[in-house]
Amino acid sequence: MSVTRYNSLPDPFEKWTTMVYHLRLVSDQTGLIEIWADGKKISKTEGIVGFKPFLAKESQYFKFGSYRNHAEFATVTRLDHYVRSEQKADVDPDGTLAPP
């Protein structure tokens, strides 16, 4: 697995942060995770990032939220204008949310 870091995540407190994720979750070397925040590329991970299901009838499911160890402050996740698609054009039609 190879991780490339480009920028730090912006401060998430007291403002909205626009996050874009590009995921190719497969169990071979072509796996990919790319992350953008407020139009800046944050990181890219390449390699095995998926898994092989034990049974053919098993399927993946999508789950999103705040998952972390206990913190001294309250954590809340709010979604606005959530889009999930197999096509980048559906998520970022003008190319400003996830520039190359």
Side-chain angles (χ1 to χ4, degrees):
M1 184 173 291
S2 167
V3 177
T4 305
R5 292 178 180 88
Y6 299 101
N7 291 289
S8 297
L9 284 168
D11 183 354
F13 295 99
E14 299 181 16
K15 69 175 190 70
W16 284 95
T17 302
T18 299
M19 301 293 298
V20 176
Y21 302 91
H22 175 212
L23 307 170
R24 184 171 51 236
L25 304 176
V26 294
S27 60
D28 62 33
Q29 293 297 327
T30 64
L32 178 69
I33 300 173
E34 293 178 293
I35 301 170
W36 291 263
D38 291 336
K40 287 186 177 179
K41 194 165 192 176
I42 302 301
S43 68
K44 177 170 70 171
T45 301
E46 299 173 285
I48 299 172
V49 293
F51 70 98
K52 291 182 181 179
F54 296 107
L55 302 171
K57 66 181 180 180
E58 291 185 48
S59 62
Q60 295 182 10
Y61 66 94
F62 182 78
K63 189 174 179 180
F64 187 91
S66 298
Y67 303 96
R68 59 174 295 131
N69 294 334
H70 174 73
E72 296 299 320
F73 50 87
T75 59
V76 176
T77 301
R78 292 189 177 108
L79 301 177
D80 186 37
H81 300 291
Y82 171 79
V83 179
R84 181 177 179 212
S85 177
E86 293 183 9
Q87 304 292 322
K88 183 181 183 216
D90 295 338
V91 177
D92 187 15
D94 58 4
T96 58
L97 299 177

